[in-house]
Amino acid sequence: MKKVAFYTLGCKLNYSETSTIGRLFTDAGYAVVEFQDKADVYVINTCSVTDHADKKCRKVVKEALKYSPNAFVTIVGCYAQLKPQEIAEIEGVDMVLGAAEKFRIVEYITDLTKNPKTVVHQQNIEKVNHNFIASYSIGDRTRTFLKVQDGCDYPCTYCTIPLARGASRSDTIENVINRAKSIAESGVKEIVLTGVNLGDFGIRNGEREDKFFDLVKALDEVEGIERIRISSIEPNLLSNEIIEFVSTSKRFVPHFHIPLQSGSDKILGLMRRRYRTDLYVERVAKIKEVMPHCCIGVDVIVGFPGETKADFLDTFQFLNELNISYLHVFTYSERELTVAAEMKGVVSGSERNERSKMLHILSDKKRRAFYQSQIGTEGEVLFEADQKMGYMHGFTKNYVKVRAKYDPLMVNELKAVKLLALTAEGEVEVAELETFTHIINR
């Protein structure tokens, strides 16, 4: 039996697609193995959000060939769609597949003989603009990443994703519901909804047929799934009706990840974002009004062209005063074919790094404060299979990372717990409620 191994760079959407590609290989008679297990085929699913991700692709190829020098190496993903010829020049790469071709990978890999010249199958992204291909991860995680939307129609000046994934397009609500039911039957307890611009769900063949809120209401009725998490949603697409529905939902959890990118209206304008800071403040206030315990994550970019020290301090102060729970901080990097790459006011690398460091410190402060606010409360944790130093980990509904003494019977189980104390590592110690009651009654 031939063996195939995978490596995924980038977002949750990529993880869902890698898992789907893995099932294609399994159906074709391959055994899916770990990266270091000397596979016959390596598939590297790439990201191109930052320059660092492009460089990492090269490193992963080198590592794969270290484990299996004669392996057939195929590159897919956003980097493969944007720069196939650049990838073709990486030593050891045998095949590059674009966005339209990656789900036909088994058809293309018919001969594992390594050739001196890399084979490239990639077409213009406009060819896939109306072609939605569903995917989801299963079997390798406690939760499933379920892709319901792809592509993006937003022309943000720094972003290559529309060039790599094409126009906004979605699955049907009926298909998503059927897939969610199938996932529930497999024993998975949590679904994470993913997409490039998730809140824009509902476009098919270039026409809007549904809204994301329609999908949310339908999924809330799916039996067997305990939790549904929204991976990321633009603030202008996170409506009050969605927020209010989640606050009383049977399955949607109190956790939102809402991209901000800058706390300066000037920079938001340069980025061509579709909102300003006042709308963002309104969204956070509404969430905290109906769900005071809700976890709110924020994406922010530092060092964008034209961002002065004063602009950055506006962002820092804006975030410092906002009732949020953590940050994902991205250091701006120039991407070819974007408007921002040609903008004036380039921020030095050292200044970008300094600003990033300041926001990472702020994120740690915000996360610890949020975790501390949950100490003494009761919650429900979905425990995962990992084990470290005798502990296992999991997350509450509102995304507090907790740890408990390892117990194999608790893997992929929902347990009612008491949140006891914040550890030095930034996790929360918990005890099962029945155990906790026994302790305090001794």
Side-chain angles (χ1 to χ4, degrees), residues 294-323:
C294 185
C295 179
I296 302 176
V298 181
D299 286 343
V300 60
I301 297 171
V302 297
F304 189 80
E307 183 188 67
T308 65
K309 185 70 172 178
D311 296 328
F312 170 73
L313 291 176
D314 284 344
T315 294
F316 186 93
Q317 194 61 28
F318 180 78
L319 291 167
N320 190 42
E321 294 175 357
L322 210 56
N323 192 1

Side-chain angles (χ1 to χ4, degrees), residues 249-403:
S249 165
K250 297 189 286 285
R251 291 176 176 82
F252 280 83
V253 297
H255 174 209
F256 292 101
H257 192 92
I258 315 169
L260 170 66
Q261 311 308 12
S262 177
S264 161
D265 284 340
K266 169 193 145 185
I267 300 302
L268 289 176
L270 291 173
M271 291 176 168
R272 292 185 190 163
R273 300 292 286 167
R274 298 195 176 194
Y275 55 86
R276 295 297 179 263
T277 52
D278 57 349
L279 183 138
Y280 201 94
V281 169
E282 288 176 14
R283 292 294 182 265
V284 171
K286 179 63 178 180
I287 291 168
K288 288 298 184 176
E289 175 193 334
V290 297
M291 291 174 280
H293 60 302
C294 185
C295 179
I296 302 176
V298 181
D299 286 343
V300 60
I301 297 171
V302 297
F304 189 80
E307 183 188 67
T308 65
K309 185 70 172 178
D311 296 328
F312 170 73
L313 291 176
D314 284 344
T315 294
F316 186 93
Q317 194 61 28
F318 180 78
L319 291 167
N320 190 42
E321 294 175 357
L322 210 56
N323 192 1
I324 57 173
S325 311
Y326 64 90
L327 305 174
H328 281 175
V329 183
F330 298 90
T331 302
Y332 172 76
S333 61
E334 288 77 4
R335 314 306 294 145
E336 289 182 30
L337 307 177
T338 62
V339 174
E342 306 299 324
M343 285 182 175
K344 297 179 180 179
V346 174
V347 180
S348 70
S350 60
E351 186 64 26
R352 295 183 207 186
N353 292 336
E354 185 61 30
R355 294 175 189 181
S356 174
K357 190 182 302 180
M358 288 177 65
L359 286 186
H360 275 101
I361 292 170
L362 179 62
S363 180
D364 290 342
K365 170 190 163 186
K366 288 284 188 180
R367 191 187 299 272
R368 291 187 73 88
F370 176 65
Y371 281 14
Q372 192 65 51
S373 73
Q374 301 301 299
I375 300 302
T377 65
E378 297 175 0
E380 190 179 62
V381 173
L382 178 58
F383 281 100
E384 301 180 1
D386 72 313
Q387 182 180 359
K388 187 177 180 181
M389 304 295 288
Y391 289 98
M392 65 193 307
H393 297 84
F395 288 90
T396 61
K397 287 183 179 180
N398 61 339
Y399 212 55
V400 175
K401 186 177 183 180
V402 308
R403 76 178 194 184

Side-chain angles (χ1 to χ4, degrees), residues 98-326:
E101 294 80 16
K102 61 188 172 187
F103 291 106
R104 295 170 54 202
I105 186 170
V106 175
E107 298 175 33
Y108 287 111
I109 301 180
T110 56
D111 181 359
L112 300 186
T113 304
K114 294 185 77 69
N115 296 310
K117 187 174 181 181
T118 304
V119 177
V120 176
H121 297 286
Q122 180 261 11
Q123 57 185 310
N124 191 292
I125 194 62
E126 293 179 2
K127 299 272 188 174
V128 299
N129 272 351
H130 302 313
N131 183 25
F132 178 84
I133 298 177
S135 63
Y136 62 93
S137 64
I138 202 162
D140 53 350
R141 289 174 178 265
T142 303
R143 63 189 58 82
T144 286
F145 296 135
L146 174 58
K147 170 186 166 186
V148 301
Q149 185 274 341
D150 202 349
C152 186
D153 295 335
Y154 286 12
C156 297
T157 56
Y158 55 83
C159 188
T160 59
I161 297 303
L163 301 174
R165 285 188 171 269
S168 182
R169 57 202 186 276
S170 307
D171 207 345
T172 65
I173 291 178
E174 181 183 9
N175 284 346
V176 174
I177 296 304
N178 289 336
R179 206 157 282 116
K181 289 177 179 177
S182 176
I183 290 168
E185 290 171 1
S186 75
V188 171
K189 303 255 189 337
E190 180 177 309
I191 287 176
V192 182
L193 298 180
T194 66
V196 174
N197 189 353
L198 188 58
D200 199 37
F201 173 90
I203 296 175
R204 284 179 287 282
N205 297 315
E207 301 291 333
R208 177 160 299 285
E209 298 182 9
D210 303 299
K211 296 190 300 181
F212 181 58
F213 186 45
D214 300 326
L215 177 65
V216 167
K217 289 185 292 184
L219 281 170
D220 204 49
E221 300 301 322
V222 176
E223 298 291 338
I225 290 296
E226 301 290 338
R227 295 178 175 183
I228 303 176
R229 204 175 291 275
I230 298 171
S231 62
S232 179
I233 184 167
E234 295 282 302
N236 54 298
L237 297 175
L238 178 57
S239 63
N240 284 341
E241 63 181 356
I242 293 174
I243 295 169
E244 289 168 357
F245 185 87
V246 169
S247 72
T248 59
S249 165
K250 297 189 286 285
R251 291 176 176 82
F252 280 83
V253 297
H255 174 209
F256 292 101
H257 192 92
I258 315 169
L260 170 66
Q261 311 308 12
S262 177
S264 161
D265 284 340
K266 169 193 145 185
I267 300 302
L268 289 176
L270 291 173
M271 291 176 168
R272 292 185 190 163
R273 300 292 286 167
R274 298 195 176 194
Y275 55 86
R276 295 297 179 263
T277 52
D278 57 349
L279 183 138
Y280 201 94
V281 169
E282 288 176 14
R283 292 294 182 265
V284 171
K286 179 63 178 180
I287 291 168
K288 288 298 184 176
E289 175 193 334
V290 297
M291 291 174 280
H293 60 302
C294 185
C295 179
I296 302 176
V298 181
D299 286 343
V300 60
I301 297 171
V302 297
F304 189 80
E307 183 188 67
T308 65
K309 185 70 172 178
D311 296 328
F312 170 73
L313 291 176
D314 284 344
T315 294
F316 186 93
Q317 194 61 28
F318 180 78
L319 291 167
N320 190 42
E321 294 175 357
L322 210 56
N323 192 1
I324 57 173
S325 311
Y326 64 90

